């Protein structure tokens, strides 16, 4: 199997190596970001409502206990806000605003770079196609079209690099879309948390 892989790489020409490197780097980043994002979102509405009820009743220890340990981004944000000593809805909102401003950009960390790798892979494949076709035309110019073996090398390079670029880019694009969905879900939970705490501040101001 490895021998066949190396043979394919050699037939595809010099651009197969950077396409392979892009594939490895891209999937390392995809798996790393997935491990970070997979548990960040989720439905935290019940947690936020129970937390707001306990915090609004000045049961700060119970509110903190609801956050527990671990969990997603909402739990972590609430836990950090409480650990900063928030004792009023306004203090809680200020701490959460600071935490959310820090967390939202972190959700999209490395995703633009993954997108760039996904875009570069088929472009390298296209470049390999151009290089292969130029090689084929050079053979035709110097030796004519009567040597199929000589022509096949350039054609093989053109087709293999195109295939390799698409094989890297298509699943990479699908994985990137899924990561963006996970990041958007977590961002939505943070925005809903911010809206609920703002509502708690208004309730405190009118009571």
């Amino acid at each position: 199997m490895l021998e066949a892989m190396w043979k394919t790489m050699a037939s595809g020409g010099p651009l197969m190596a950077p396409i392979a490197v892009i594939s490895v780097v891209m999937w390392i980043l995809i798996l790393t970001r997935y491990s970070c994002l997979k548990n960040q979102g989720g439905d935290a509405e019940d947690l936020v409502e129970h937390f707001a009820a306990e915090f609004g009743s000045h049961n700060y220890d119970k509110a903190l206990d609801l956050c527990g340990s671990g969990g997603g981004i909402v739990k972590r944000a609430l836990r950090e806000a409480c650990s900063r000593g928030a004792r009023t809805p306004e203090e809680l909102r200020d701490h959460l605003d600071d935490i959310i401003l820090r967390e939202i950009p972190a959700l999209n960390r490395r995703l633009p770079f993954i997108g760039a790798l996904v875009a570069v892979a088929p472009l390298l494949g296209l470049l390999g196609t151009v290089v292969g076709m130029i090689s084929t035309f050079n053979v035709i110019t110097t030796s004519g079209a009567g040597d199929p073996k000589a022509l096949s090398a350039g054609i093989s390079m053109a087709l293999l690099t195109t295939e390799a670029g698409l094989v890297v880019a298509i699943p990479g694009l699908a994985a990137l879309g899924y990561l963006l969905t996970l990041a958007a879900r977590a961002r939505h939970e943070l925005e809903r948390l911010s809206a609920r705490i703002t509502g708690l501040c208004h309730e405190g101001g009118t009571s």
Side-chain angles (χ1 to χ4, degrees):
M1 182 177 179
L2 287 176
E3 183 179 351
M5 185 182 300
W6 284 116
K7 186 177 179 180
T8 302
M9 292 280 291
S11 299
L15 289 171
M16 292 291 282
I19 291 174
V21 171
I22 284 175
S23 177
V24 171
V25 173
M26 181 187 73
W27 281 106
I28 288 174
L29 292 176
I30 286 172
L31 293 174
T32 301
R33 292 309 300 157
Y34 173 72
S35 67
C36 294
L37 291 172
K38 63 179 180 178
N39 294 321
Q40 295 301 328
D43 191 0
E45 185 173 356
D46 289 341
L47 168 65
V48 173
E49 290 301 321
H50 291 151
F51 179 91
E54 296 294 347
F55 192 92
S57 300
H58 308 292
N59 297 323
Y60 304 120
D61 291 336
K62 288 184 178 180
L64 182 59
D65 288 342
L66 287 172
C67 300
S69 59
I73 196 167
V74 171
K75 269 191 175 184
R76 190 167 68 248
L78 288 172
R79 189 164 57 244
E80 183 176 342
C82 289
S83 68
R84 292 185 182 185
R87 288 297 180 267
T88 66
E90 289 75 16
E91 289 177 351
L92 180 63
R93 181 186 59 191
D94 291 342
H95 289 316
L96 283 175
D97 286 345
D98 180 51
I99 294 167
I100 290 171
L101 285 174
R102 182 194 69 208
E103 291 288 345
I104 285 182
L107 291 172
N108 292 319
R109 184 177 299 139
R110 297 194 179 95
L111 296 186
F113 184 56
I114 294 173
L117 294 177
V118 169
V120 166
L123 291 177
L124 283 176
L126 181 60
L127 179 60
T129 301
V130 173
V131 171
M133 295 309 296
I134 290 173
S135 175
T136 300
F137 287 127
N138 286 337
V139 170
I140 293 174
T141 300
T142 57
S143 305
D147 188 355
K149 188 175 181 180
L151 293 175
S152 65
I155 296 173
S156 176
M157 182 188 302
L159 296 178
L160 284 173
T161 51
T162 302
E163 180 186 29
L166 293 175
V167 165
V168 172
I170 291 172
L173 183 61
L176 176 61
Y178 183 61
L179 292 178
L180 289 171
T181 300
L182 293 179
R185 186 182 304 168
R187 184 168 60 250
H188 174 69
E189 293 294 344
L190 285 175
E191 291 169 352
R192 186 161 60 178
L193 169 63
S194 178
R196 180 64 186 91
I197 298 306
T198 299
L200 181 64
C201 292
H202 292 162
E203 292 169 10
T206 56
S207 60

